[in-house]
Amino acid sequence: MTAPTPPHMAENKTTLVVLDADPPPRLGRLTGRVRIEHADESTLASLLPSADVLLVWDFASHAVRHAWPGEGPRPRWVHTASAGVDHLMCPELAESDTVVTNARGVFDQPIAEYVAALVLAMAKDLPRTWELQRAREWRHRESQRVAGTRACVVGSGPIGRAIVQTLKALGITTALVGRTPRSGIHGPGELDRLMARADWVVSVAPLTDETYGMFDARRFGLMQPSARFINVGRGQLVVEDALAEALSKHWIAGAALDVFEREPLTPESPLWDIPGLIVSPHMSGDTIGWRDELGTQFVELYERWEAGEPLPNVVDKQRGYVPGS
């Protein structure tokens, strides 16, 4: 895709607005070359008309969605330091000429490793082992062998493909489900059949109108009583009450959620106490140094944009993800 047109007049510095989160991004080589304005939810709307580029560093914020429909010019390019774009997309942005890019490539292998760790933890009953250790109780148990089991990975982007490769290394037979069937990827019409025979169902799909709430009571009812469910995609893919019921009634053997419909999960949430559920705070892709990787990626993208070169990671704003990824 053709890059958005950068400013070419030397006397005019590009204005980069950063929707901040703590800690702020390290922008290295851009220091002094670019006029940088820092925004939060209260100031973003007033800064958007003067911005050439918007960096959504606070990828948990919905400020862009609320501020974008206002009056005045809008940035020609928006980059979000996340794989998902649902937090910023609104009809006005989707229908505009603004190019949107994401952080594809930074999180693929870390999330795949995290999923593998969850699979092994549940198969080997590690949460129970830690509980028994704290209770100073010696209780021998048998655990599950993962080699030879089946996994259904839902979401065929780079993260989903990395998960497939990592699970295959453990000897797990893996089926990948995507929006469109093609070589090596099953279509959504086969999801029910694949879930019904899987030992592990891993959700890493993007959030779209078609995927919202896709894992509901009907689909959990399809799974084997010995199967486990893992969600490292978007929280809104899962009907949380339905998952809680499936676990409480032993329709499935266990689950792990790293993402939730509303974050952070409040102390009052019943999900903390659901038997067989592992809760983690949206950390599956966050390895040591991940913020520096995100900052470096943006600087490299900016320099391509500044040079008028095509940008990678361009999101199809109607679909909500990078096509062909």
Side-chain angles (χ1 to χ4, degrees), residues 50-81:
S50 63
D52 297 296
V53 180
L54 172 64
L55 169 58
V56 184
W57 190 250
D58 185 356
F59 50 78
S61 171
H62 292 87
V64 177
R65 185 188 297 172
H66 299 308
W68 195 272
E71 296 182 358
R74 288 295 179 262
R76 287 164 286 173
W77 170 34
V78 174
H79 177 76
T80 179

Side-chain angles (χ1 to χ4, degrees), residues 137-323:
E137 183 176 346
W138 182 279
R139 186 185 303 178
H140 181 270
R141 287 115 53 226
E142 295 177 344
S143 64
Q144 180 184 4
R145 179 183 294 182
V146 298
T149 61
R150 297 175 181 268
C152 173
V153 178
V154 186
S156 59
I159 297 173
R161 295 197 298 271
I163 291 170
V164 166
Q165 293 304 312
T166 303
L167 295 184
K168 282 183 176 179
L170 296 175
I172 299 174
T173 301
T174 309
L176 183 60
V177 179
R179 182 176 184 268
T180 305
R182 52 195 187 275
S183 177
I185 299 175
H186 300 270
E190 296 187 72
L191 177 58
D192 288 358
R193 176 182 66 85
L194 293 169
M195 284 186 64
R197 59 194 300 218
D199 300 290
W200 313 96
V201 176
V202 182
S203 163
V204 69
L207 181 61
T208 66
D209 291 341
E210 291 76 21
T211 61
Y212 189 98
M214 67 185 298
F215 296 104
D216 55 12
R218 185 187 71 80
R219 285 216 159 102
F220 290 127
L222 295 173
M223 294 175 63
Q224 302 178 73
S226 59
R228 277 100 166 192
F229 175 80
I230 297 171
N231 186 21
V232 289
R234 306 299 289 171
Q236 294 84 354
L237 300 173
V238 177
V239 180
E240 292 175 349
D241 289 345
L243 176 60
E245 182 181 21
L247 289 167
S248 298
K249 293 184 176 180
H250 304 289
W251 294 350
I252 61 176
L257 298 179
D258 185 57
V259 288
F260 300 87
E261 185 174 2
R262 294 180 181 83
E263 297 182 5
L265 201 63
T266 65
E268 297 77 25
S269 172
L271 292 175
W272 294 107
D273 299 316
I274 298 297
L277 178 62
I278 297 174
V279 170
S280 59
H282 204 146
M283 59 180 282
S284 62
D286 301 347
T287 52
I288 295 169
W290 66 283
R291 290 184 179 88
D292 289 341
E293 287 187 57
L294 289 172
T296 298
Q297 181 189 55
F298 174 73
V299 170
E300 291 173 352
L301 288 175
Y302 180 89
E303 290 178 337
R304 290 179 64 111
W305 176 78
E306 185 180 49
E309 298 175 2
L311 288 172
N313 294 11
V314 174
V315 173
D316 183 321
K317 293 184 291 182
Q318 302 301 323
R319 296 182 182 181
Y321 53 88
V322 179

